[in-house]
Amino acid sequence: MWRHFISAIMLLMLYYNKSVDATLKDLDSSENGLSGVEAEERLRVHGRNAITVKGEPFWKKVIEPFANVFMLVLFVAAVISLFQHEILDSAIIIIIMIISASIYYVQRFSTERIMRSLSKHQTQSVEVLRNGNPIEVDSQELVPGDVIILNEGEKIPADARLIASDNVRSDESMLTGESQPINKQTDTLHGEKQTYECTNLLFQGAFIVAGTAHAVVTNTGNATQFGQLAALATRPSGTSPIQGKIDKLITQIITVIAGIAATAFGLALLRGMEITEAIRFVIALSVSAVPEGLPIAIAVVLVLGVRRMAARKALVRSMRAIETIGAITTIATDKTGTLTQNKLTVGKVWQPDFSNHPIDEYIQKSVNGSAQKSHDPLDTALLDYISKKKMSALKHKVVATLPFDQSVSMSGNIWDHGATLTLDVKGAPEHILQRSNLTSNEHEKAQHMLHEMTGQGYRVIALATTTIGKKIKKFSDIPKGQKFEFIGFVAVSDVLRPEAKRAISAALRAGVTVRMVTGDHVETAYHIARELGMVQTRNQVFDARHMNVMNDDELDQAISDVRVFARVIPEHKYRILELLKRHNITAMTGDGVNDVPALSDAHVGLAMGSGSQIAKDAGDIILLDDNFKSVIDAMREGRTIISNIRRMLYYLLSTSSGEVLTMIGSLVVGLPLPILPVQILWVNLVTDTAMVIPLGLEPGEKNVMKLKPKRPKSPILNKYIITRMIMVAFSMAATVLVMFDFYIDTHGEEYARTVAFSALVVMQWSNAFNARSDYQSLFTRLRTWNGPFYVGLGIAVTLQILVLSGPLSDILHITPVAISDILITGFIAFIIPIILVEIHKLIGRQLFKKVRTSHLVN
C-alpha cells in the first residue's frame, strides 16, 4: 500500500512540474476533454472514482454479536447447565444466543442497506467537457484526462492539474491542516514541492472557495492523495449523545444488578439451594434485568428514522443531529429559498428624472454574462423582464465580468464600446448610492423612493455605470475617488412559500423561536416577517450594520428580543450564531461558502440541498428541498424518535425490573421460585423481540410539538417516566407473587408456576400497550394505528399459546392448567397495569397543562 501511495505522490510531482500542454499530452487529452467513447474505455481501465477503505474483517462481523457481557453471561449459564446434565436447558440457552445473533446479523444488514441507499442522495454532479461540450456527470464516472469545470463552493471530485484559472482559491485544510485558502494558478512549478506548495494542482476532497477553475483530472479513486490517506486508516465511528446516555444508563443498571445478584445469591444459599443452581439462578436473574437487545433495537430505530426524515426531504449526515434537532430552542434561517420560493420577479422599476440613461438598457447590461448557465435567481428575473420587453440584443460586447464582491455589495460587467470601456453594475442600494455622484437633493429623492419600495416588501437593486480606462479584474482596481453614475432602482419580489407561515407557527407552539437572517433592507425584512407572523413591532428587527460598533455584551443585550436580522453579510452570521448560542440550542441554515463557519459551529447545521457542496459537507442535515417546513418536519421526527427510544427503555426496564422483583420477592417471603430461569429467558426472547422494535416505530403523540424542548444534557428518562416504571415493576411482582401463593396452596407448585409464568407474560403485553404513549390515554391511543405493534403482539400471543398447550410446554416445564384459570388470571394481570398507568397518565396530563399554561404566559 505504501508503494502505491509513493507512486501516486511521484505522479503528482510530475504533473506540477509539467506545463499545461505537457500534462494534456501525457494524459492523451486536450482542452476540449475526452470523447464519450474514450471516457467509457478509461472508466473500464481505471474503475470508478470512488475511495475504497478497508472494511471490517468478516470474522469480526461474525463474532461481534457474541462479544459482549450479556452473551458471556448466557454462555456461562449454558456451561453450568451442561455440567449439571441439564442438556435441554443448556440447548435452549444456546438457541437463544444463536437467535439473538441472527437478529443482529439481519438488522445490521438492513441498516447497512438503508445507509447505502441514503448515501446516494449525496453523490456529486460535475460539469465535464466531452467532445468540447459541457455536460453533467456523476463524480464517480470521472476518469484521468477528463476536463472539469469547477465554481465557487464546489468540492473537488478528483486530483487535477489546473489548465485555466480565474482567481481560484482552494480550501485544502482536510489535507494540509492549513485553514487559510490557497491561491491557485496554472504556471509550471520547478523543484520538489510540499502539498500546500502545489499551487497548480487541485486535490480531491478540497473545495473551491473563490473563482472558476478548468482542470484536467490526473488521478481518481484510491490513486488520489485523499484516497491514499483514507486507505491508511479507517474512520472511527462516533457515539451519538442518545447512545452515550443509554450506555451510561446500562452501566448504572449493571452496577445495581451486581449488588442485587450478590444479595440474591446469598438468599438462595440461605434457602438451601445448591450452589450450582444458585449460580445459574443469579445469572438468569442478571440477564433478565439487563436489556441486552436494546443497542440493536435502537440502531434499527435510528436508521429507520433517518430514512423517514430523508423521505421528508431532510437528509441526516450525523446521527448526533437526530437528538439535537428535537432539542433546539431557536432557528436562525435564511429568507431566500427557505421561507420564499426563490422565484424572483421584477415588480417595478424607477428611474429618477435627473438620469438620462434608459434604465431597461442598463438592466440588460447588468445581467451576469453567464447568467443563462449559473441560474442565479436575480439574473434570471432580470432576463425574464428583458425578454418580456422584447428588447433587441446590445451592439456592444462584454469583455469581462466581475462576480459579486461582498465588500462592495455589487457585481458588474465591463462593456467594450470601441473607444471606451464602461463598468455597469448592480448591487445594494446603500453602497451604490454612497459611491454615486449625486447631489444632496438627488440623494434624498433616491432614499425616499428606496424607503417606499422596501416598505412594500420589495427587494431593491440599484443600477449604476462608470467609465474606466482599462479592463480590470476586481472592484478594488477602480481608482480611488472614482464615482458611479446612478441609473435607478429595480424592485423584485419573491413569493412566500405557502407552508412557511404554518411551519413558523408550529415552531412557536413547540417553544422554538424563529429568527430570520437576511441581507434585505430593514423595511423589506420587516414587511416579510410580519406577513409570516414572526414579528409584531419594528423593534424586533435589527439592522446588522450596527454590529460593527457594538461589543459582544452590548450586542447580546440588544438582540435578546430580535426576530429579524436585516442587512446581514456572511461575516455577521458567525457572530450572530455565537451570541444566540449563549442562551439557546441553535439551528442555523446556510448554503454558501461563507456560511460554512456558522454551519459547522451551530448545534445543528442545516445546509440547503441547492447550496454549495462545501456547505452541505459542513451541515448536519441537508434540506433537499430548501424548505423551512422541512426543518419543522425534521424537528418533529427527531422528537418522535427520541420519545420512542424512551418508550423502548421504559418498556424493557419496567418489565425486566418486574421480573427481578418477582424473583427477589419470592426469596424474601420464603416462597419457591415462581419463575424458572429458562422461563425468564424465554419471556425476554419472545416479548422483547416481538414488541420492542414496534414500540420504536410508534407514531408521534399529538403533543410532541407542544412540549418545551429537552436540553441535550437532560437524562434519557425523566422522573415522570421513572416513577411509572417503578410503579409498574412493583405491581407486576406483587400480582405474580399473590397468584403464585394462592395457587400453590390449592393446586401445587408446578401448577402455580405455570399460572405465574402466564400472568407475567400477559402483564408485559399490557405494559406494551401502556408504553405506546407518555400522556395519552390507552383508549385514545388505540385510535392511532401502528401496524408493526399488532404484528409483534400477534407473534408474541401465538408463541405463548404454543408454550402453554403445544410441543414447547415440556421444554419450558409447563404443567397443564385449566383454561378458566388462565383466562381469569390473564384478565386480572392485563387490567392491573392499565388501571395504574391510566391514573398516572391522568396526573401527568394535568401537570402538563399547568406547565404549558405557564410556558405560554412567559
Side-chain angles (χ1 to χ4, degrees), residues 708-724:
K708 290 185 68 175
K710 296 182 183 298
R711 301 189 69 85
K713 292 185 179 180
S714 62
I716 186 69
L717 295 176
N718 58 31
K719 293 180 181 178
Y720 173 68
I721 295 299
I722 291 175
T723 304
R724 181 182 301 173

Side-chain angles (χ1 to χ4, degrees), residues 533-760:
M534 295 175 63
V535 298
Q536 284 78 43
T537 67
R538 280 183 172 81
N539 293 334
Q540 293 177 292
V541 182
F542 181 79
D543 190 336
R545 290 176 295 181
H546 300 317
M547 290 176 62
N548 297 329
V549 296
M550 304 173 72
N551 62 40
D552 284 353
D553 291 335
E554 292 171 339
L555 186 57
D556 186 26
Q557 185 176 359
I559 66 174
S560 60
D561 193 42
V562 166
R563 295 296 178 266
V564 177
F565 295 89
R567 279 303 182 217
V568 173
I569 61 175
E571 288 76 8
H572 289 153
K573 275 193 173 183
Y574 185 81
R575 190 178 177 198
I576 291 171
L577 171 68
E578 286 299 304
L579 293 174
L580 291 178
K581 283 174 62 181
R582 287 185 177 184
H583 314 288
N584 297 277
I585 306 299
T586 306
M588 178 163 275
T589 67
D591 59 2
V593 174
N594 288 318
D595 294 329
V596 169
L599 286 172
S600 300
D601 199 49
H603 292 107
V604 182
L606 302 168
M608 301 297 109
S610 63
S612 63
Q613 187 63 38
I614 188 172
K616 287 188 277 190
D617 273 30
D620 300 298
I621 296 176
I622 300 175
L623 304 181
L624 299 175
D625 59 355
D626 297 2
N627 195 335
F628 184 79
K629 179 180 178 295
S630 297
V631 180
I632 307 305
D633 289 341
M635 185 166 66
R636 180 183 290 107
E637 192 65 46
R639 288 188 175 191
T640 299
I641 290 171
I642 302 307
S643 295
N644 285 344
I645 289 175
R646 291 190 174 101
R647 288 190 183 98
M648 294 161 65
L649 277 170
Y650 157 75
Y651 170 73
L652 288 173
L653 296 181
S654 59
T655 53
S656 295
S657 300
E659 294 169 4
V660 171
L661 290 174
T662 299
M663 300 183 76
I664 294 295
S666 67
L667 291 174
V668 171
V669 299
L671 288 172
L673 288 179
I675 311 291
L676 296 177
V678 70
Q679 292 173 339
I680 289 178
L681 292 173
W682 171 262
V683 168
N684 285 348
L685 172 69
V686 173
T687 308
D688 291 354
T689 303
M691 304 305 301
V692 71
I693 293 180
L695 282 173
L697 302 177
E698 190 71 30
E701 292 190 67
K702 289 183 178 179
N703 68 349
V704 71
M705 291 297 287
K706 295 180 181 178
L707 295 167
K708 290 185 68 175
K710 296 182 183 298
R711 301 189 69 85
K713 292 185 179 180
S714 62
I716 186 69
L717 295 176
N718 58 31
K719 293 180 181 178
Y720 173 68
I721 295 299
I722 291 175
T723 304
R724 181 182 301 173
M725 187 175 72
I726 295 171
M727 182 176 65
V728 168
F730 274 99
S731 70
M732 280 186 175
T735 302
V736 171
L737 288 173
V738 168
M739 289 182 179
F740 181 69
D741 187 44
F742 174 81
Y743 280 97
I744 201 172
D745 291 335
T746 57
H747 293 78
E749 184 177 323
E750 295 300 323
Y751 192 99
R753 182 170 289 119
T754 299
V755 171
F757 168 68
S758 176
L760 181 63

Side-chain angles (χ1 to χ4, degrees), residues 296-325:
I296 301 172
I298 287 175
V300 172
V301 170
L302 284 174
V303 171
L304 292 177
V306 168
R307 188 168 68 173
R308 288 197 304 273
M309 291 175 78
R312 291 175 176 267
K313 307 299 182 184
L315 180 60
V316 177
R317 299 185 67 253
S318 167
M319 284 293 186
R320 179 182 299 272
I322 294 178
E323 179 183 13
T324 313
I325 190 68

